[in-house]
Amino acid sequence: MILNIRKLCVGAKSVDDLAEWQAGRRAEMDRDHSLHVTRMWPRREAEIVGKASMYWVFKGFIQARQRIIGFEEIIGNDGIRRCGI
């Protein structure tokens, strides 16, 4: 069974806004793929990586999909461990 992740898109009003924001973050972080950082690490990581997608919810509707290629440990400036999807 494939487990997908749904995320509420806060701050972006449209898919174009999200794409523009992610492009800026990729350039800022010198990456070739997007990275979404969240507080929680998925417990069923093995069932998600390389198989699942993150579905972005805008104003109550799923309007965008991104493949999940992996998870990275991100340590914030506050020393707290976070998950980079």
Side-chain angles (χ1 to χ4, degrees), residues 37-80:
V37 180
T38 186
R39 289 176 291 160
M40 305 302 290
W41 199 282
R43 287 177 287 206
R44 296 168 68 178
E45 178 180 356
E47 296 173 70
I48 296 172
V49 173
K51 304 171 194 159
S53 297
M54 182 162 19
Y55 289 90
W56 290 99
V57 179
F58 296 83
K59 300 178 184 175
F61 297 97
I62 294 173
Q63 295 185 28
R65 171 184 169 262
Q66 289 181 301
R67 299 274 300 151
I68 298 173
I69 59 173
F71 297 101
E72 293 180 32
E73 181 178 56
I74 306 291
I75 305 296
N77 294 336
D78 54 7
I80 295 175

Side-chain angles (χ1 to χ4, degrees), residues 19-32:
E20 192 175 307
W21 182 82
Q22 286 182 340
R25 291 281 292 164
R26 281 193 305 274
E28 181 182 302
M29 298 173 76
D30 194 27
R31 291 178 169 265
D32 62 347

